[in-house]
Amino acid sequence: MLASCVPAFAVADTLPPVNVGWTHPGPLLPDSSNFVTASLLVFSPGEAMYSQVGHVALRMECPVHDLDYCFSFEQETDMGGFVKFFSGKTDAHMMAVPTGQYLASAKKDHRRVMQYTLALTTAEEQNLWRILDEDYVAPELRKFNFLQNNCSSVSLYAVEDAVTDETIDFNGWPEPFTMSNGRGVRFLTRNSAWLEFWCITFLGSESDAYWANEQRTSPELLPQVLKKASFVGADGARRPMVESERELLPVVAQFKPTAVTPKVVFGLLLLIVVLITLFQLKGRMKRAGQIVDVLLLTVVTVAGVVLLFTSFVSGLFGTHWNWYLIPCNPLPLLIWIGWHRKKNFYKIYWLYAAVLFLFVLGTPLSEQLDVEHQLFSLALLVRCVSAICEFKYKIKRIR
């Protein structure tokens, strides 16, 4: 559902490598079953926002030739990385990094790393390594997005491609997979209020949809999925997907939730707007009221442009509707520029106030709508009511 895809090796190459040993130590077995070993590595969340949902990578080992690499689905980074990310144009592919070097960053951040050794045949393990190598050197890069191409889904699809005569049966999914995308995202980001806020903001109406579970698999839930998963042949024969597990690095980090949550920030914003509005209606702090109106209109316009772009142009989540385009869009600014000197301009405030009021009432109708975001809508509604009251006061004085 969510997966981190920020290069860890960029930092790790400056740190001393971690020695975790071979998965199958000792000489080559008679059947060569330990010639190559394939495992899924699951990283616990890190402190950085982009790593707070964890990470998944594939570890490929060949003790005979002293090869031990982590293949991780990573984004290409450059100066325009931030813009490209939100444009859904970030290039991404499998990167191969020596395991000791790759784990160095996780150790530095005190992140737990669990290894789940896959129950693949020697031929399938060699096939998987070939697939990963080809992805690594392929000139055509995939575009990272949350719908299909993330570290969890790409790793699982690579394993599935390597098993040519069988399919993967995940044999039941954990409870979060029965939830809509919005509820699932809230569950996975429950330890980071701001990550939840931003994900829900850009997820839009996809919050009420249900993506394929293979795409929604997250590092946190992947261990539960793997323990029940099986390789199934055409004749119905089954074999477990995972043959063993072990801890490569212990978890040490203890994360404390921030007290400055979106609910606190937007709650304070609403309180400040209400207080300034009350003073303004009593003939005070008019200048402060004007400043608040300018700031709110600026936020509405900028947020509206960003949401329009990420909803209908960007491929980050896929083209979809975003409910917050109702309170936040460039239309209020355009109307103000074109008609604010008109005699009946106050009627626009009536219309906008009615829209905002109905929008707030509609909060239970979509998984995207929540208290944190609607506090901002209420602040806009208060300022609309203030403008209406001020107009009525002026009319009363004229009479």
Side-chain angles (χ1 to χ4, degrees):
M1 187 173 289
L2 284 174
S4 166
C5 278
V6 177
F9 58 85
V11 177
D13 60 5
T14 64
L15 302 172
V18 178
N19 183 13
V20 293
W22 299 103
T23 299
H24 292 293
L28 183 66
L29 297 177
D31 63 356
S32 298
S33 60
N34 64 339
F35 174 69
V36 177
T37 302
S39 306
L40 278 165
L41 301 186
V42 179
F43 294 68
S44 67
E47 291 185 353
M49 182 178 290
Y50 63 76
S51 67
Q52 288 178 353
V53 293
H55 186 57
V56 175
L58 281 159
R59 181 187 184 188
M60 303 300 299
E61 305 171 70
C62 181
V64 175
H65 296 290
D66 197 29
L67 298 174
D68 187 1
Y69 282 87
C70 277
F71 286 84
S72 176
F73 188 66
E74 307 283 358
Q75 299 176 37
E76 294 284 311
T77 56
D78 53 39
M79 294 299 292
F82 185 82
V83 175
K84 290 178 67 176
F85 176 80
F86 282 99
S87 301
K89 299 183 182 299
T90 302
D91 292 328
H93 64 113
M94 283 292 186
M95 298 293 292
V97 185
T99 297
Q101 180 182 333
Y102 194 76
L103 295 178
S105 180
K107 183 178 181 180
K108 176 181 178 293
D109 295 338
H110 309 294
R111 299 172 68 178
R112 187 188 194 197
V113 179
M114 288 294 298
Q115 174 174 299
Y116 298 88
T117 304
L118 300 169
L120 298 172
T121 66
T122 302
E124 290 167 342
E125 289 166 336
Q126 290 177 298
N127 192 30
L128 176 59
W129 204 321
R130 176 188 58 78
I131 290 171
L132 297 174
D133 278 339
E134 290 177 352
D135 191 292
Y136 177 47
V137 299
E140 302 84 10
L141 301 180
R142 281 170 287 197
K143 303 301 181 184
F144 172 81
N145 63 58
F146 289 111
L147 287 173
Q148 296 175 331
N149 298 327
N150 56 60
C151 65
S152 296
S153 63
V154 169
S155 297
L156 287 178
Y157 289 144
V159 174
E160 197 166 35
D161 289 342
V163 185
T164 55
D165 298 325
E166 296 172 297
T167 58
I168 300 177
D169 181 3
F170 292 100
N171 195 29
W173 297 88
E175 182 180 354
F177 288 95
T178 65
M179 303 175 181
S180 63
N181 293 335
R183 290 193 179 187
V185 166
R186 293 185 196 281
F187 171 80
L188 295 171
T189 58
R190 63 194 181 280
N191 295 322
S192 176
W194 283 104
L195 181 60
E196 174 188 330
F197 178 82
W198 292 117
C199 286
I200 292 298
T201 298
F202 293 113
L203 193 57
S205 58
E206 294 290 349
S207 298
D208 299 305
Y210 292 80
W211 301 335
N213 283 340
E214 288 86 349
Q215 297 171 357
R216 306 203 304 173
T217 303
S218 68
E220 178 183 353
L221 300 175
L222 187 57
Q224 300 178 53
V225 174
L226 293 176
K227 290 177 182 179
K228 294 183 178 181
S230 303
F231 293 119
V232 182
D235 58 354
R238 290 177 174 268
R239 58 191 174 101
M241 185 176 176
V242 173
E243 65 179 24
S244 66
E245 65 177 87
R246 71 184 181 109
E247 185 180 66
L248 297 185
L249 293 176
V251 61
V252 181
Q254 299 293 327
F255 303 111
K256 296 181 180 180
T258 178
V260 187
T261 64
K263 191 175 293 185
V264 170
V265 170
F266 289 103
L268 286 175
L269 172 66
L270 177 60
L271 178 61
I272 292 171
V273 168
V274 169
L275 291 176
I276 290 177
T277 300
L278 290 176
F279 279 108
Q280 186 180 359
L281 292 176
K282 292 183 179 181
R284 306 174 184 175
M285 300 185 70
K286 289 187 177 181
R287 183 62 176 171
Q290 293 174 349
I291 293 174
V292 167
D293 289 339
V294 171
L295 290 176
L296 290 178
L297 186 59
T298 300
V299 172
V300 164
T301 304
V302 173
V305 170
V306 173
L307 290 178
L308 283 169
F309 178 76
T310 56
S311 297
F312 301 113
V313 180
S314 169
L316 184 61
F317 289 97
T319 304
H320 61 278
W321 167 251
N322 194 305
W323 288 107
Y324 291 114
L325 283 169
I326 292 178
C328 297
N329 61 78
L331 190 58
L333 176 62
L334 296 177
I335 292 176
W336 187 87
I337 292 175
W339 287 281
H340 74 281
R341 296 185 182 278
K342 302 290 184 179
K343 181 179 180 181
N344 294 325
F345 182 72
Y346 75 95
K347 294 181 179 180
I348 298 296
Y349 287 108
W350 279 107
L351 177 61
Y352 195 32
V355 169
L356 290 171
F357 180 72
L358 293 174
F359 183 68
V360 171
L361 289 181
T363 300
L365 300 179
S366 173
E367 291 294 341
Q368 188 192 13
L369 306 181
D370 56 24
V371 174
E372 289 86 339
H373 290 82
Q374 294 294 40
L375 288 171
F376 182 75
S377 299
L378 285 172
L380 296 175
L381 178 59
V382 169
R383 293 310 298 166
C384 283
V385 173
S386 172
I388 294 170
C389 291
E390 186 175 355
F391 176 81
K392 284 189 172 182
Y393 178 72
K394 289 180 179 179
I395 295 298
K396 185 176 180 180
R397 288 187 59 184
I398 292 175
R399 291 177 178 175

